[in-house]
């Protein structure tokens, strides 16, 4: 079974530029999450999708961050314009929902963003 | 009070010893708990889940849950240098189970 795919793995941009990250979850996983992990901290949820609908974006800085999940599969997360404090690893995770292991979230390799 | 708290470490143990990692949580209604391992520069990887009070063993790993004390721990027996990583405690929250993570405990196993 293929895991959660993310791209790019690394991105370096200057502040005020825009950037986009892509995620392809495990096939059949209805729930998709974007987390931000700042160095030395645990991941923090930015946005959560159930199929193609947003169920939690309470921690998403909506003035600069946006995300979509078209057709309930792939998702993109965009930052425009980026700030220095956005430097972090952006992790995508997915969850099946059903079955004994339905609560388990599987993480992609992440995108490491450096804002200069 | 943070929702999930962990000692940031580093926790240094000699090879072959037992490493004990601790986590406390604030929501008394929490029902499930997860331990993720994260190697430097890598993504979190689930190593243990626990739902009931008591112990759950999987190989060298044992998770312990005490809901009355709002405390969950992870024991690693016969620690190996390859166990050196950050261990994240996570608790689901909300109807769609977003994970609330602790800051993680860095474990260093030295030969």
């Amino acid at each position: 079974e293929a895991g959660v795919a993310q791209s790019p793995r690394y991105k370096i941009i200057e502040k005020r530029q825009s950037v986009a990250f892509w995620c392809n979850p495990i096939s059949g996983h209805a729930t998709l999450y974007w987390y931000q992990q700042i160095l030395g901290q645990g991941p923090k949820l930015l946005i959560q999708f159930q199929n193609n609908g947003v169920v939690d974006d309470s921690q998403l800085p909506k003035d600069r961050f946006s995300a979509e999940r078209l057709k309930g599969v792939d998702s993109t997360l965009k930052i425009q314009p980026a700030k220095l404090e956005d430097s972090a690893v952006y992790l995508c995770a997915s969850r099946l929902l059903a079955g004994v292991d339905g609560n388990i979230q599987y993480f992609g390799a992440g995108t490491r963003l450096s804002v200069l | 009070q943070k929702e999930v708290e962990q000692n940031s470490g580093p926790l240094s143990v000699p090879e072959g010893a037992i490493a004990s990692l601790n986590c406390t949580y604030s929501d008394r209604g929490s029902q499930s708990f997860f331990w993720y391992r994260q190697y430097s520069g890598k993504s979190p990887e689930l190593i243990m889940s626990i739902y009931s009070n008591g112990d759950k063993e999987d190989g060298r790993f044992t998770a312990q849950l005490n809901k009355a004390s709002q405390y969950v721990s992870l024991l690693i027996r016969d620690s190996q240098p390859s166990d050196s990583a950050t261990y994240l405690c996570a608790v689901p929250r909300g109807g769609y189970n977003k994970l609330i993570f602790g800051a993680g405990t860095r474990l260093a196993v030295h030969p």
Side-chain angles (χ1 to χ4, degrees), chain A residues 9 31 33 35 37 40-43 45 48 50 55-56 58 91 95 100 103-105 107-110 112, chain B residues 32 34 36 38 40-46 49 51 88 92-93 95-104:
Chain A
R9 288 298 314 278
T31 309
Y33 309 81
Y35 291 88
Q37 186 173 24
Q41 299 180 19
L45 181 75
Q48 179 178 345
Q50 175 67 18
V55 296
D56 188 340
S58 57
L91 295 162
R95 185 169 75 102
V100 174
N103 276 331
I104 297 174
Q105 294 185 24
F107 285 82
R112 185 176 297 275
Chain B
S32 54
F34 300 95
Y36 282 82
Q38 187 172 30
S40 181
K42 302 295 185 182
S43 61
E45 170 195 14
L46 181 72
S49 60
Y51 305 98
L88 297 162
R93 183 75 69 249
Y96 288 98
N97 287 341
K98 70 179 181 184
L99 289 177
I100 307 299
F101 285 88

Side-chain angles (χ1 to χ4, degrees), chain A residues 55-69:
Chain A
V55 296
D56 188 340
D57 62 357
S58 57
Q59 305 246 59
L60 187 75
K62 298 180 186 65
D63 57 334
R64 299 184 298 106
F65 285 66
S66 64
E68 60 182 7
R69 189 183 185 196

Side-chain angles (χ1 to χ4, degrees), chain A residues 77-109:
Chain A
L77 176 70
K78 297 179 182 177
I79 308 175
Q80 181 179 10
K83 292 185 175 182
L84 297 177
E85 59 260 37
D86 298 331
S87 295
V89 176
Y90 291 85
L91 295 162
C92 180
S94 69
R95 185 169 75 102
L96 177 62
L97 271 190
V100 174
D101 294 329
N103 276 331
I104 297 174
Q105 294 185 24
Y106 298 89
F107 285 82

Side-chain angles (χ1 to χ4, degrees), chain A residues 23-77:
Chain A
C23 172
N24 180 247
I26 294 173
S27 178
H29 281 202
T31 309
L32 185 147
Y33 309 81
W34 283 102
Y35 291 88
Q36 179 193 58
Q37 186 173 24
I38 293 172
L39 188 64
Q41 299 180 19
K44 182 187 79 172
L45 181 75
L46 291 175
I47 189 167
Q48 179 178 345
F49 292 93
Q50 175 67 18
N51 296 309
N52 61 348
V54 174
V55 296
D56 188 340
D57 62 357
S58 57
Q59 305 246 59
L60 187 75
K62 298 180 186 65
D63 57 334
R64 299 184 298 106
F65 285 66
S66 64
E68 60 182 7
R69 189 183 185 196
L70 299 176
K71 300 180 182 178
V73 182
D74 293 7
S75 178
T76 56
L77 176 70

Side-chain angles (χ1 to χ4, degrees), chain B residues 8-98:
Chain B
S8 62
L11 173 65
S12 183
V13 300
E15 184 174 357
I18 296 175
S20 178
L21 305 160
N22 304 315
C23 172
T24 58
Y25 59 95
S26 61
D27 185 353
R28 191 169 285 278
S30 298
Q31 296 295 316
S32 54
F33 307 86
F34 300 95
W35 283 100
Y36 282 82
R37 177 177 62 198
Q38 187 172 30
Y39 291 113
S40 181
K42 302 295 185 182
S43 61
E45 170 195 14
L46 181 72
I47 53 171
M48 288 288 284
S49 60
I50 187 166
Y51 305 98
S52 304
N53 272 332
D55 295 359
K56 178 182 177 182
E57 188 175 315
D58 184 0
R60 295 186 297 112
F61 298 95
T62 298
Q64 299 176 318
L65 175 60
N66 184 326
K67 290 185 178 179
S69 299
Q70 294 175 243
Y71 177 94
V72 57
S73 64
L74 179 70
L75 301 178
I76 306 174
R77 289 182 302 280
D78 187 24
S79 295
Q80 301 297 310
S82 58
D83 295 326
S84 298
T86 296
Y87 290 80
L88 297 162
C89 174
V91 180
R93 183 75 69 249
Y96 288 98
N97 287 341
K98 70 179 181 184

